[in-house]
Amino acid sequence: MKRTGQRLLTFDRKLGARFVAGTDEAGRGSLAGPLVVAGVLLDYACLKEHKVRPLTYLNDSKQCTAEQRDALYHAVLACAAQVSVRVIPHGAIDRNGLHKSNLAAMREILHALSPPAEACLVDGFRLGPTAPPHRAVVDGDEKSAAIAAASIVAKVTRDRLMRRLDALYPAYGFARHVGYITPGHSAVVRERGPSAVHRLSFQALCYR
């Protein structure tokens, strides 16, 4: 496992701010289940030496195994000044649209983090004028510690929710693919139809 955390932490520290917030989401491309948006506030006045060691292997959640994500999830909770999570259910996504729901949750999270961040970083998106002043970082979960930490929290939280949904809808295999489109997932939807937690607004071939 690569020691990527130092590079990500250095990116944030170069901003010259004590409080750095990052936000990211999990489940954007999923066919079923919620969208989970997380925000993490890091206090760089406190993240020194032994206090930052749990983040040594911090990385974009997509670059980590499930076991690594679980370990990093606990590391983030131990090191962060604050963590905030919003869960947007499938029904709200269908009513309001995925992208609009995502941006609204990110704005809400950045406003909720306290003390207010001196630097707010978002993975890829501008959030509009009603959000706190922020910077959109392309591939931010591979560059910024605060964004990578948010990606870990969002991913682990969502995977846990999907495992709970798997117990309610065992035929769909949510514990395996966590709601994303796979050949097996599509085949079950074609055979049984969508479950109560599928996003019906998506233009998926398996719905036809």
Side-chain angles (χ1 to χ4, degrees), residues 85-143:
V85 176
R86 298 291 185 274
V87 178
I88 301 93
H90 65 283
I93 293 170
D94 285 343
R95 288 191 303 273
N96 303 321
L98 176 70
H99 189 59
K100 183 178 178 181
S101 299
N102 186 27
L103 298 190
M106 287 181 166
R107 286 192 293 267
E108 183 181 345
I109 280 175
L110 291 181
H111 279 299
L113 291 174
S114 180
E118 300 160 64
C120 295
L121 305 177
V122 182
D123 186 25
F125 300 115
R126 294 290 302 170
L127 304 182
T130 60
H134 60 283
R135 173 181 171 185
V137 182
V138 177
D139 296 325
D141 45 10
E142 300 176 7
K143 298 174 182 177

Side-chain angles (χ1 to χ4, degrees), residues 23-48:
T23 183
D24 199 6
E25 89 288 323
R28 186 176 177 86
S30 179
L31 185 64
L35 178 74
V36 175
V37 182
V40 171
L41 183 67
L42 297 178
D43 179 356
Y44 278 92
C46 296
L47 288 180
K48 297 178 180 179

Side-chain angles (χ1 to χ4, degrees), residues 23-94:
T23 183
D24 199 6
E25 89 288 323
R28 186 176 177 86
S30 179
L31 185 64
L35 178 74
V36 175
V37 182
V40 171
L41 183 67
L42 297 178
D43 179 356
Y44 278 92
C46 296
L47 288 180
K48 297 178 180 179
E49 299 176 1
H50 68 283
K51 291 185 179 181
V52 82
R53 285 175 191 164
L55 299 181
T56 298
Y57 299 104
L58 181 63
N59 202 352
D60 168 19
S61 64
K62 296 186 291 296
Q63 304 298 321
C64 303
T65 65
E67 292 76 13
Q68 291 166 347
R69 284 193 295 267
D70 282 340
L72 287 169
Y73 175 84
H74 292 291
V76 170
L77 295 186
C79 293
Q82 189 178 2
V83 173
S84 183
V85 176
R86 298 291 185 274
V87 178
I88 301 93
H90 65 283
I93 293 170
D94 285 343

Side-chain angles (χ1 to χ4, degrees), residues 149-170:
S151 80
I152 292 289
V153 172
K155 175 63 174 169
V156 171
T157 300
R158 187 175 186 279
D159 283 359
R160 291 177 178 178
L161 291 172
M162 294 307 296
R163 286 195 292 270
R164 294 178 185 176
L165 290 176
D166 182 74
L168 295 175
Y169 307 97

